[in-house]
Amino acid sequence: KGKYADLIEAEAKVRLHGLANLYLYFVVRLVQQLTPTGRAALIVPAEFLDQVAGRSVKQMLVERRLLRGVVWFHSENSIFEDAMTTAAILLISNDSATHPGSVAFVSAETTAACAEIEASISTTTPNVTLGRMVPLHALDPADRWRTHVSGEETPTVVGGIALGSYAKIRHGITTGANKFFVRSRSAWAALGIDERFLAPVVPKSVMVPGVVFTDADFDRLDAADARVWLLTAREEEASDPALAALLNGPAVDEVRARPTLRSRRDRWFVPPRREAAPIWVSNLSRGRVKIVRNYSRAATLDSFHNLTPTDALDVRTFAAVLLSDETKAAVFAVRREYGSGLLKVETSELAAALVPDALSLDAESASLLASLDAELEQAATEADVDAVISAIDGALRMELPVGDDAAHR
């Protein structure tokens, strides 16, 4: 891709992001091939509207007055049955002189809407007048364009800073072969694997239905014989007879051949080490992005991002701020949407989410939030949890007002 990126930059004067997918290369090349009045309709992943890697292409479409319309298909509508990718259509015309100065953002959620869109773009004029018309000058390539068509408002945190300013964000553990490395207590016992080679882990976000996860919650999963024990043997422990039998068994060749494990070579059975993090943010989930306060001893697989505070922040204060409504809205805003309502949060975009500035809290406010986090740990019912979260929101709004609250200060 590097060779083609250099070629595109030289010929089209567009520098593609290092993480740009191939479809972005195609968009730029197609624009180069258009005749002076040429038109095109391009099907692209809907994530293009928000993707950091697509900013230079969005900038090209706006600055060269190429973009006439965006047709957006909601993530609940599976356009391609065999793909999780959601879809959008970019309507492009290479006749800047006739550009009306605005771009149409249209939602194609119904059959009637699709028919209306088809009728509009089948005319001799390249202009589209359906949906929401957004002036070209208002289309910032760095913005999330999905909001123009979905009607979703971007949350505003007064004085907000990037989450990565005070949070260390890491993927959960990637095993490369979950079925081999993660098993129930009874399954490991049947193989004769000693518990000293195992560590507690939460492999799936569906195992965490609530806002809080405790050792009691983990113990309930363990009691149900769930697959919540991760093999964590070190190289020097591989001589243990039962462990050696497992690591040299008949299924090992297939497991070792997987790309993630092949790169580890002789250490293929040693997964990355992760300590239990105080905050988990779901990597993939449906309906909502989960932010979980973890009080348990368990780590997670890569179904969650693991967040820990920098040295500048107390862990309890950190956790309370991240459980606030403002943080939840900010994190939800950076999600990507895939087919059938699947939501994904990338590490880099999570780090860039603008959240309340926990670093600016005074000692009294930080102490109050820390005490509320301690109270949350003792919450016995869902109603108790909700009450503490509401108290956290109230305390945070007093110190770091957001939205309309700031106007009344």
Side-chain angles (χ1 to χ4, degrees), residues 370-393:
S371 67
L372 287 170
D373 179 72
E375 187 177 334
L376 183 65
E377 186 173 7
Q378 303 302 319
T381 66
E382 188 173 332
D384 293 339
V385 170
D386 291 342
V388 176
I389 298 295
S390 294
I392 288 173
D393 286 328

Side-chain angles (χ1 to χ4, degrees), residues 39 120-127:
R39 297 164 65 180
S120 176
I121 65 177
S122 298
T123 63
T124 56
T125 174
N127 295 334

Side-chain angles (χ1 to χ4, degrees), residues 101-113:
S102 296
V103 175
F105 283 81
V106 191
S107 175
E109 295 192 51
T110 65
T111 303

Side-chain angles (χ1 to χ4, degrees), residues 262-277:
R262 193 165 58 237
S263 65
R264 296 179 191 165
R265 300 182 180 179
D266 293 339
R267 301 182 72 256
W268 67 272
F269 59 89
V270 182
R273 294 277 172 172
R274 292 286 188 276
E275 300 298 327

Side-chain angles (χ1 to χ4, degrees), residues 184-203:
S184 66
R185 184 190 294 270
S186 65
W188 286 122
L191 293 169
I193 302 300
D194 194 286
E195 289 189 11
R196 71 179 186 276
F197 302 136
L198 306 177
V201 71
V202 175

Side-chain angles (χ1 to χ4, degrees), residues 293-350:
R293 176 58 167 111
N294 174 45
Y295 295 104
S296 80
R297 63 194 185 280
T300 75
L301 295 191
D302 52 11
S303 54
F304 283 102
H305 300 287
N306 291 189
L307 279 64
T308 56
T310 61
D311 294 339
L313 204 57
D314 170 74
V315 65
R316 286 197 179 276
T317 303
F318 167 80
V321 172
L322 265 62
L323 291 173
S324 67
D325 283 347
E326 287 72 35
T327 298
K328 291 172 186 173
V331 170
F332 186 73
V334 302
R335 75 198 183 280
R336 297 187 186 187
E337 295 186 357
Y338 294 92
S340 302
L342 187 65
L343 307 179
K344 181 173 177 60
V345 178
E346 297 285 354
T347 304
S348 60
E349 294 175 345
L350 179 59

Side-chain angles (χ1 to χ4, degrees), residues 71-155:
V71 180
W72 177 73
F73 296 88
H74 195 278
S75 62
E76 295 291 343
N77 301 325
S78 296
I79 305 303
F80 304 104
E81 292 183 1
D82 58 345
M84 292 303 298
T85 305
T86 48
I89 300 175
L90 307 180
L91 304 175
I92 295 172
S93 176
N94 198 27
D95 184 8
S96 62
T98 64
H99 200 292
S102 296
V103 175
F105 283 81
V106 191
S107 175
E109 295 192 51
T110 65
T111 303
C114 291
E116 190 177 8
I117 294 165
E118 182 179 9
S120 176
I121 65 177
S122 298
T123 63
T124 56
T125 174
N127 295 334
V128 183
T129 56
L130 299 174
R132 181 181 180 186
M133 303 302 296
V134 180
L136 271 174
H137 66 77
L139 286 176
D140 185 341
D143 288 345
R144 295 180 172 273
W145 286 5
R146 179 183 61 217
T147 60
H148 294 308
V149 67
S150 68
E152 177 184 325
E153 293 186 5
T154 301

